[in-house]
Structures are given as C-alpha cells and as structure tokens.
Amino acid sequence: MGWWTDGPPSLALSLPPGWLPSRPNDGWAYRDRIPPAAAGLGVVAFYAGRYGHSSAAAWERRLAAGEISRNGLPLRADAVLAGGERLVWRRPPWPEPAVPAHWTVIHDDGDLLVIDKPSGLPVLPAGGFLEHTVLRLLERRHGDDPAGVPRPVHRLGRFTSGLLVCARRPATRAWLSAQLRESTGSLASGAGGGGGGGEAGGVAGGAPPCRKLYRALLVPGRLVLAPGDSLAITTPIGRRPHPPLGEIWCAADAGDPGALAARSQLTLLATGHGADLVEVAIVSGRPHQIRIHCAAIGAPLLGDPLYGPGGRARPGGLPGEGGYRLQARWLRLHRPEGSMLELEAPAVEGLG
C-alpha cells in the first residue's frame, strides 16, 4: 500500500474503517511573479502582504531557513524586488489531517463518474490539503484506467456530502462544467425564478441547464414559513475583509461593484426542536452559497462555525471548519449526446 494508507498502527486502528490517517505530505512550491505595483517592496513585505495568514516574522524565519528563492537562486536575507521577478516558497512537508476516503459510486458509464462524497473529504488540493483529496484518490485508484482518470467537474465544500460529478474525457468535463455554472447575465435578467427550485435559462456553450437540490439542517425557529412553503433568496455574494485570511466570501455590501448575483430557492420540509430541515435548489454556484444565503435570511446552518445571521463571516471562523449538515442530494443533468441523467444520493440520518 502507498504512503497515503499506511501509518502508525496505533493511529490507524483508532480511526473508523475507510479513513486515511494523518500523514505528512511531500511539501509544495508556491510560485509568484512580482507585479509592477509591488516593485520596490522587500521579500518579507511582499509575502506578508500577499499571504496574510503568516506574520512578517514567520516569513523572515522561512527566508532564513532557505525556503525562498528568487529567479531560481536561494535567498538567505531580505532583498528589494523588481517587477517581473519570480519568487518560489518551497513549503516543507506538513501533516494532513485524517479524512474519510471511502465513497459509494452512484453512476459510472466509463466516462461520467458520480460518487457520493463523504463529509470531511476535500475535493481538490487547497486549505492545507494536497494528498488527502478526492482528486488525488481518483488519480491513484484509476491511474491505470485505459479510459483515463475521472476528475471532478465541480467542487463541494469539505464538509458537504453527496453527489460529486467527475468525468474522464476533457470534452465531457467542459460540457458538464458549462451546465454546473450559470452566467451573471442570466441571473440579472431574472432567469431561474419560480417555485420548485427554478433553473437558469441557458449556459455558456449552448449546454442545457442542470438542476441541483440540497438538504440542510438550520437553526430552528428562524424561518417565517410553514412546512411546504418556499422562499427565493437573491442576496449577492462578495468578498469582505476577514482576519486572518485577508478576504472571505460572504453576503455582499449594498452597492458593492464586485458582488456576484446569486439565487437560491429554499423550501421548509419539517420543523423540530433541534433543527429545521430544508431543501435548497440553487441556480447559481457561488462560493459557500447555501451557507451564506441561509444565514443572510437569519437562519444559519445548524453548527456553522463561520456564517452567522446576516450572512457575514465571524472573525474567528474559517471556511474549512465543519459542524454543519449539508448534502448535495439530487441532480439532473444532460449528457453531450442529448440524454438526461437524474441521480439521487442515499438519505443520511437527520436529512430525511
């Protein structure tokens, strides 16, 4: 077995079946080209300004340790930068957290692959994960597949479970990607309204639209709805300052010129003392859209550590933290040859 499955026996045995234990990766090289506006800055000042998750003192230590190079040559001391120069920070290996690495295949026709992604498993490398991701696992499990490696067409949040669409052929990925996104213009013109979740009126490249339904648990008693009632949510989503990340996606300020149009259709399925169960159809595919939209109407996802009432991000929260329940439950999409595919993820406890 490869490095991603073995590990200290005592640690591996303490994990549920099908989990990858925490294990150091091989590190990563972060590459930057200095823009003209940054000419004259020192190396430490450039990194501290661009990557606010680390202090200037931390960048000084990395520089002194020989982790940073300029134009291919190692640096050991701070230096003034010129526009167009190339910097590389070679981050040493770091341990990636244990993750669930098992999933159920919902559909596989030799090209299109749809899996039921477990909560806790990242889709793509980001946020401290390189190897413990769906993409890396697919590359290892299907590396010898004559049809090619299935690769994710879209993202799901690390702690969002449910239907994840992958494809082996680049042309199929391009077709499906066109379905799984929409244009701001179609939203601005009012496409996707109406009950039953709505759909965009068309997507780039002429691909028919898809329909996506999610299930979520919300803080109880916040919705002014009766079971079966629906509500359209159109709060724009934008980026706002957030320590220590610099900026983060959340409900946009009124008049924000960079805000992205977004539309969700929420239906209350059931109420309870512990949580309210809702179904959400999304027309757009903005970052953290369901979490932000539910919070924006005053009913955050139960246990969400990041988004509170109003849809703003809490200063101490991080996007990769879990605690909430959100499932990509149902999907309808069109294949390139014209046929339609409808898929549903198995029900999970609490989400009906």
Side-chain angles (χ1 to χ4, degrees):
M1 301 292 285
W3 72 266
W4 61 93
T5 56
D6 54 13
S10 59
L11 178 61
L13 290 175
S14 66
L15 293 172
W19 277 60
L20 300 181
S22 175
R23 184 88 181 212
N25 55 38
D26 293 329
W28 189 251
Y30 296 84
R31 305 177 188 276
D32 288 284
R33 188 163 191 168
I34 307 303
L41 289 178
V43 173
V44 170
F46 171 79
Y47 274 120
R50 182 169 177 81
Y51 302 106
H53 53 69
S54 297
S55 65
W59 290 112
E60 288 174 353
R61 290 192 294 271
R62 291 164 183 158
L63 188 61
E67 297 176 12
I68 299 172
S69 63
R70 179 178 63 177
N71 298 329
L73 299 176
L75 287 173
R76 291 286 182 174
D78 208 349
V80 176
L81 295 169
E85 291 189 299
R86 297 181 182 275
L87 289 181
V88 178
W89 170 40
R90 299 189 181 280
R91 183 182 180 184
W94 70 91
E96 297 186 29
V99 295
H102 57 88
W103 56 64
T104 300
V105 173
I106 303 298
H107 174 86
D108 189 356
D109 59 17
D111 180 14
L112 182 63
L113 172 71
V114 182
I115 66 172
D116 182 13
K117 186 188 83 69
S119 173
L121 178 62
V123 174
L124 300 175
F129 289 88
L130 288 178
E131 304 299 335
H132 286 188
T133 66
V134 171
L135 176 61
R136 292 289 189 262
L137 292 171
L138 287 171
E139 289 174 343
R140 289 182 170 86
R141 294 175 185 180
H142 296 270
D144 297 329
D145 189 338
V149 175
R151 300 180 186 278
V153 174
H154 62 108
R155 292 175 182 261
L156 291 177
R158 180 186 170 193
F159 289 98
T160 300
S161 64
L163 300 176
L164 178 70
V165 181
C166 310
R168 294 173 173 86
R169 296 177 58 240
T172 305
R173 289 197 295 273
W175 171 266
L176 295 173
S177 180
Q179 288 189 65
L180 291 164
R181 67 176 183 266
E182 46 43 74
S183 68
T184 301
S186 68
L187 287 177
S189 65
E199 298 174 19
V203 291
C210 72
R211 187 167 183 236
K212 298 166 283 185
L213 295 177
Y214 290 74
R215 292 281 181 96
L217 295 181
L218 306 188
V219 174
R222 303 290 181 87
L223 294 173
V224 188
L225 298 173
D229 288 349
S230 295
L231 172 68
I233 310 171
T234 57
T235 303
I237 293 174
R239 297 185 67 81
R240 289 180 52 83
H242 179 269
L245 299 178
E247 287 186 329
I248 197 168
W249 293 103
C250 58
D253 282 332
D256 179 358
L260 303 176
R263 186 180 184 90
S264 304
Q265 189 86 8
L266 180 148
T267 301
L268 178 62
L269 299 180
T271 61
H273 294 295
D276 287 344
L277 174 64
V278 299
E279 183 173 80
V280 184
I282 62 172
V283 178
S284 52
R286 307 310 187 190
H288 311 303
Q289 178 173 321
I290 292 176
R291 297 169 66 187
I292 293 171
H293 269 183
C294 290
I297 62 171
L301 268 65
L302 185 69
D304 193 331
L306 180 58
Y307 295 108
R312 298 294 177 84
R314 296 185 176 96
L318 295 173
E321 295 177 331
Y324 56 89
R325 300 288 300 281
L326 178 61
Q327 182 193 28
R329 183 63 170 271
W330 187 84
L331 173 69
R332 183 182 69 202
L333 51 82
H334 296 259
R335 305 172 195 246
E337 72 276 10
S339 63
M340 186 173 67
L341 186 65
E342 293 188 3
L343 300 169
E344 184 172 5
V348 297
E349 184 179 358
L351 292 175

